[in-house]
Amino acid sequence: MRPLLGCSWGCCLLLLLSLEAQGGPDYPSAVPEQVHLSYPGEPGCMTVTWTTWAPARSEVQFGTQGSGPLPLRAQGVASAFVDGGILRRKLYIHRVTLRRLLPGVQYVYRCGSAQGWSRRFRFRALKNGVHWSPRLAVFGDLGADNPKALPRLRRDTQQGMYDAILHVGDFAYNMDQDNGRVGDRFMRVIEPVAANLPYMTCPGNHEQRYNFSNYKARFSMPGDNEGLWYSWDIGPAHIISFSTEVYFFLHYGHHLVQEQFRWLERDLQKANANRVARPWIITMGHRPMYCSNADLDDCTRHESKVRKGLRGKLYGLEDLFHKYGVDLELWAHEHSYERLWPIYNYQVFNGSRETPYTNPRGPVHIITGSAGCEERLTPFSIFPRPWSALRVKEYGYTRLHILNGTHIHIQQVSDDQDGKIVDDVWVVRPLLDRMMYR
Ligand SMILES: *[C@@H]1O[C@H](CO)[C@@H](O)[C@H](O)[C@H]1NC(C)=O
Ligand SMILES: *[C@@H]1O[C@H](CO)[C@@H](O)[C@H](O)[C@H]1NC(C)=O
Ligand SMILES: *[C@@H]1O[C@H](CO)[C@@H](O)[C@H](O)[C@H]1NC(C)=O
């Protein structure tokens, strides 16, 4: 900023405030901000994404030494993103994919160009193959305001507790808000987590403005579908991310419901062909099929759209996921935590009464949308349903430890209770015959 000679204090302050209101420095900066990682679905790779306000080259410098020079280089591309708000703010989104990373090795990196570099971040390259035990943090509905789970997630991340994050829709509240500035603020707020761990996403209802353009532009998910639906493998698990929003915002494209459904079926067929090697199939989508919250959301209806499809019969997901033996379904949208007994078509299919999640005879659903946002928590209906196993109306997030091909450990962390574990279950399925629930 130029020195403001002859300007009184009040006037200076006013000027500063108005610059602040413009949401950036007084000239477009090429210094990277909003740095975050994602896994592009190819072993040995990691994608770095960041934002600048002026066009610039896209480079990542990286290495395995904690300090000193960063000997490795990778280049990528920037694309201009114009937000749909009246100011038509323009962001440059940079994407660089690092390749030939050594599995399980820790890297240090910085991103940017000669016009400005980020600070250094570190991450651990994902291990290859199926014989290791990934640890994930899972949550949805995290806002730029009231992001209750973030401080603890940040500490967990610093301690190297996770291999990846799954954010099950609803970001920032909302990324498009205030001409995209709320999105900028959110991406800065999550940087201490997302610049050090692959941050994997699916779209939620809060991303819908301008046809999900802020979601598509700001994240870099695997595949060529702008992150609306995709799948990837981590250790013994195949993870499918999809959009429940195609069932609700039909004016953006009726065809999307059918396209996604067909893709899901093909992907599930492929995953089942490889199921002996990689037994777990885990889905993540924003709006649940079932929930017992005290509101009027889709999941409170007996024939919810996500479960039974359009007009109660077209492209419903419960039959599809059951048919292909999906093990675990992760949801959010309700700002609370709810675990269901293994379920299909409103019937509980416990493995046994003593150990319901050992050899369950239907998929297990977890609804985890209480990471914290300005809308606060969602209450539950007074009477729990017979299919509801546990309900927690507290801020928090879920830890998922995929121990091996037969054992998954699920824990719910309460931020209201200073990190106390308020749910703790193991899901155990046999190695073979995973597709058939009987
Ligand atoms: C919205 O986006 C989808 C997928 O990116 C696209 O197929 C569709 O045509 C878009 N709809 C409108 C109305 O722009
Ligand atoms: C499922 O198991 C739980 C825990 O033992 C039990 O409370 C519930 O009644 C069981 N449901 C059915 C339908 O067996
Ligand atoms: C997975 O780990 C559990 C607990 O250690 C063990 O009992 C089980 O045999 C393991 N499964 C496989 C396939 O190695």
Side-chain angles (χ1 to χ4, degrees), residues 4-230:
L4 299 157
L5 293 174
C7 180
S8 76
W9 248 114
C11 154
C12 268
L13 201 67
L14 215 70
L15 206 92
L16 276 171
L17 285 174
S18 74
L19 285 173
E20 172 61 24
Q22 294 296 312
D26 55 346
Y27 56 91
S29 163
V31 179
E33 55 172 82
Q34 309 176 34
V35 182
H36 54 109
L37 298 178
S38 56
Y39 177 63
E42 293 166 56
C45 295
M46 193 68 85
T47 299
V48 187
T49 306
W50 69 92
T51 297
T52 61
W53 302 100
R57 290 167 57 86
S58 316
E59 184 171 294
V60 173
Q61 301 180 338
F62 60 112
T64 53
Q65 299 297 322
S67 57
L70 299 168
L72 304 167
R73 302 263 185 283
Q75 264 88 34
V77 290
S79 45
F81 166 58
V82 179
D83 171 67
I86 45 163
L87 294 185
R88 303 270 158 206
R89 279 169 84 245
K90 194 177 201 177
L91 292 68
Y92 295 88
I93 310 278
H94 301 256
R95 295 189 168 90
V96 174
T97 296
L98 315 184
R99 298 176 188 283
R100 288 180 293 280
L101 300 169
L102 301 169
V105 167
Q106 182 163 288
Y107 285 86
V108 177
Y109 74 98
R110 66 172 189 169
C111 59
S113 68
Q115 288 160 267
W117 292 98
S118 72
R119 68 178 183 86
R120 289 183 179 208
F121 300 99
R122 55 184 79 228
F123 71 90
R124 192 174 291 284
L126 291 184
K127 291 181 188 155
N128 292 340
V130 300
H131 297 292
W132 62 288
S133 307
R135 290 172 191 267
L136 310 174
V138 188
F139 53 82
D141 307 73
L142 178 68
D145 293 314
N146 195 31
K148 286 279 187 194
L150 254 186
R152 180 163 283 100
L153 280 168
R154 190 176 167 164
R155 254 176 285 154
D156 290 359
T157 301
Q158 277 162 3
Q159 289 170 15
M161 273 184 69
Y162 308 120
D163 297 290
I165 301 277
L166 307 183
H167 186 144
V168 193
D170 277 12
F171 307 81
Y173 291 75
N174 302 338
M175 289 195 286
D176 60 272
Q177 212 84 13
D178 192 11
N179 290 282
R181 291 194 189 96
V182 176
D184 297 335
R185 193 151 57 82
F186 175 77
M187 298 308 287
R188 290 181 199 121
V189 161
I190 63 166
E191 190 185 74
V193 172
N196 302 291
L197 275 176
Y199 198 90
M200 309 303 283
T201 59
C202 68
N205 54 301
H206 278 267
E207 283 68 70
Q208 66 90 11
R209 281 299 282 287
Y210 319 124
N211 200 4
F212 297 85
S213 68
N214 270 269
Y215 173 82
K216 295 170 184 171
R218 290 174 187 269
F219 293 108
S220 313
M221 292 303 121
D224 49 11
N225 195 28
E226 302 174 296
L228 296 184
W229 55 82
Y230 62 90

Side-chain angles (χ1 to χ4, degrees), residues 341-342 347-356 361 386 389:
W341 300 120
Q347 236 187 302
V348 171
F349 285 99
N350 289 340
S352 66
R353 185 168 279 270
E354 297 69 40
T355 53
R361 292 170 299 120

Side-chain angles (χ1 to χ4, degrees), residues 312-329:
K313 57 177 189 237
L314 293 174
Y315 313 116
L317 293 176
E318 182 168 49
D319 282 346
L320 183 73
F321 289 173
H322 183 263
K323 175 177 171 191
Y324 288 99
V326 168
D327 302 290
L328 180 60
E329 303 181 17

